[in-house]
Structure formats: C-alpha cells, structure tokens
Amino acid sequence: DVKVTQSSRYLVKRTGEKVFLECVQDMDHENMFWYRQDPGLGLRLIYFSYDVKMKEKGDIPEGYSVSREKKERFSLILESASTNQTSMYLCASSPPTQAGGYTFGSGTRLTVV
Amino acid sequence: LAKTTQPISMDSYEGQEVNITCSHNNIATNDYITWYQQFPSQGPRFIIQGYKTKVTNEVASLFIPADRKSSTLSLPRVSLSDTAVYYCLVGGFETGGFKTIFGAGTRLFVKA
C-alpha cells in the first residue's frame, strides 16, 4: 500500500525551540506539500515542492521553512516555535499531473508550550 | 483565487444517498475539483476528482455543471462508517505557482 509517512504523531515543544517535522513518501511523487489544519480554518498550505531542492511558498509560510534534499523526503522546519504554531500538520504528495490528487500522511499534532 | 463554500454539517440515515455541494464561483480555467474524506486524527483521504461534467468511481460520483461554479459530491447508500468531514478542494498549477483552496469542510453524520 502506498504511503506518506510522518515521523511523529504527537510532539510537544517549548517556545523558541527549533522543530523539525519529517515526511517520507514511497510513491516516487514529484510534488510534496505541507499543510496545517486548525479548527474553523480548515487546511492551509504552508509550502510545497515540485522537485528536489525546489520549494515554493504557500498561503502561510511565515515562521516556517522547508528542505527537500531527496525526492522522497520533505521536511518542515519551525525556526523558533511559537504557541500560535500549535496545530495539526499534514504532509501530502502527488504526481505532477494530478492537480489536487494528494495522498496525505496521518498528521503530526504539534503542541508548543 | 477560487474561494469555496460548503455547508457546515449534514445529517443522513443509513442507506440514503447524500449530496454535498461546494460553491466555487471564481474557479480558474486550469483548476480541478477534488473531494476528500477525513476521519478524526487521520489525514484526508482522496475520494474523487473532476474537471467538468460527471465523474464516477466505486465510492462516489462528482457532478460539475457547465459553468463549473459549483460541484456536488454524491455518496450512494451511506453507512455509519461514512460519518466524517468532507472537503472540497479547488486548485492546480498556475502561472506563478500552485494554487489550492480547501473548503472549510462538511461534517456528515450518518444515523442508524
């Protein structure tokens, strides 16, 4: 079964910490995405990447950065975690021609205290 | 950027057909319409995708009128396990980047 795997289901971090969220896909997909999901706000796109070492800002990139050194891995980095970054983070991947046809991971629920 | 609007919630009974409509008045020429299902503490799961007219797969149908300003997800004969949140996504690759808008989701509750 094809998969998008997020390294942690739950994380608790302190304000100011640097946080890494890892995502790996085994489908050889070119496109990878990071979303955050908050009650009442739905899913919002943080960053996406359509190729190794390529990245593009989504709708809410402030306070985040990403890294894609290998095709199968896309990392989300919170440079200095803040309480307003407490959220569910979802990674997704898709082939290049299937706009919106994502496969999502199970999510990482991050709490910043 | 196409904003999407969905009903916040819907109730149904087992065995009924459920239709959930998403409005996307400003949909762009290159945009596709995709629907997802999400259960608590899980990532959204792809249900169906379309560009125009009607698309059907083993779990759902998607109806898109000619003007593409709305779309309707149809779930035939729902069961209790279809209780979930359903999201409409409009978007695709455009000049300048990848544009997507998820709807706020429709919480479907199926009763016995």
Side-chain angles (χ1 to χ4, degrees):
Chain A
D1 196 14
V2 294
K3 272 188 181 177
V4 175
T5 303
Q6 295 184 231
S7 53
S8 304
R9 290 300 305 271
Y10 300 95
L11 277 178
V12 180
K13 297 292 182 181
R14 295 194 178 277
T15 301
E17 277 193 75
K18 190 169 186 176
V19 180
F20 292 86
L21 302 183
E22 306 289 344
C23 175
V24 178
Q25 51 99 359
D26 64 1
M27 296 165 284
D28 202 34
H29 282 169
E30 282 76 6
N31 303 329
M32 295 190 74
F33 308 83
W34 276 104
Y35 282 86
R36 64 177 284 178
Q37 185 173 31
D38 302 287
L41 296 176
L43 285 88
R44 293 178 291 168
L45 181 63
I46 305 172
Y47 267 97
F48 67 96
S49 167
Y50 51 85
D51 202 353
V52 175
K53 297 192 182 295
M54 303 300 289
K55 60 184 179 183
E56 295 288 341
K57 293 180 180 180
D59 301 317
I60 51 164
E62 296 78 19
Y64 304 94
S65 62
V66 290
S67 172
R68 191 157 180 211
E69 296 297 319
K70 294 183 178 181
K71 188 176 185 179
E72 67 271 19
R73 187 180 297 271
F74 193 35
S75 303
L76 180 69
I77 303 156
L78 287 66
E79 296 289 344
S80 178
S82 64
T83 54
N84 63 12
Q85 292 178 309
T86 291
S87 185
M88 169 70 88
Y89 289 88
L90 290 159
C91 176
S93 71
S94 77
T97 57
Q98 192 176 12
Y102 306 126
T103 301
F104 279 91
S106 296
T108 297
R109 186 165 296 280
L110 173 67
T111 302
V112 182
V113 297
Chain B
L1 204 57
K3 180 182 175 183
T4 61
T5 303
Q6 305 174 232
I8 294 173
S9 65
M10 297 180 68
D11 289 345
S12 183
Y13 288 93
E14 281 190 294
Q16 288 189 332
E17 178 184 77
V18 171
N19 296 311
I20 306 174
T21 296
C22 180
S23 298
H24 28 79
N25 290 322
N26 297 323
I27 189 169
T29 303
N30 294 333
D31 287 345
Y32 280 77
I33 300 154
T34 316
W35 284 82
Y36 291 84
Q37 177 192 57
Q38 188 178 28
F39 299 110
S41 299
Q42 293 186 24
R45 185 173 68 106
F46 175 91
I47 301 174
I48 197 167
Q49 183 181 66
Y51 183 80
K52 61 181 179 181
T53 64
K54 178 183 175 182
V55 180
T56 297
N57 62 21
E58 62 276 8
V59 298
S61 294
L62 178 60
F63 298 92
I64 305 169
D67 65 8
R68 305 202 324 125
K69 292 185 176 183
S70 66
S71 58
T72 299
L73 173 72
S74 180
L75 304 172
R77 301 168 61 95
V78 293
S79 64
L80 297 176
S81 62
D82 292 319
T83 293
V85 179
Y86 292 83
Y87 290 96
C88 164
L89 168 67
V90 174
F93 282 99
E94 302 173 2
T95 302
F98 189 88
K99 306 295 183 185
T100 63
I101 291 286
F102 269 92
T106 298
R107 188 173 299 277
L108 173 65
F109 185 69
V110 180
K111 296 179 273 191

